Amino acid sequence: MNAIESINLMRKYNQCPSCGNDRVGGGEGTVNIEGEVFRRTCKCGWIVIVENGKVKEGDNQ
């Protein structure tokens, strides 16, 4: 995943749609980018995984 694509995904998934949290770290949520996989989680259990352009989103996947 290139830097521009990563930045666009971080902007798109900055705020949790379930609880509105926009923080990561310190138990608030995470952002992981590994290869072609973008993963954003929230303390409320919401998660989104984008892999090769396919989006999986929901709670506790």
Side-chain angles (χ1 to χ4, degrees):
M1 180 172 300
N2 67 43
I4 300 295
E5 186 178 2
S6 297
I7 290 168
N8 287 335
L9 288 170
M10 285 189 280
R11 285 181 180 153
K12 181 175 182 177
Y13 296 110
N14 177 55
Q15 189 171 23
C16 173
S18 293
C19 72
N21 183 18
D22 64 352
R23 302 189 187 275
V24 295
E28 294 289 319
T30 63
V31 173
N32 289 354
I33 302 168
E34 232 177 273
E36 293 300 315
V37 180
F38 173 91
R39 179 182 168 117
R40 163 77 162 96
T41 66
C42 182
K43 66 181 179 180
C44 74
W46 172 81
I47 184 171
V48 65
I49 300 170
V50 180
E51 184 172 4
N52 296 317
K54 295 181 182 177
V55 178
K56 298 176 192 172
E57 185 175 358
D59 292 327
N60 297 320
Q61 286 188 14

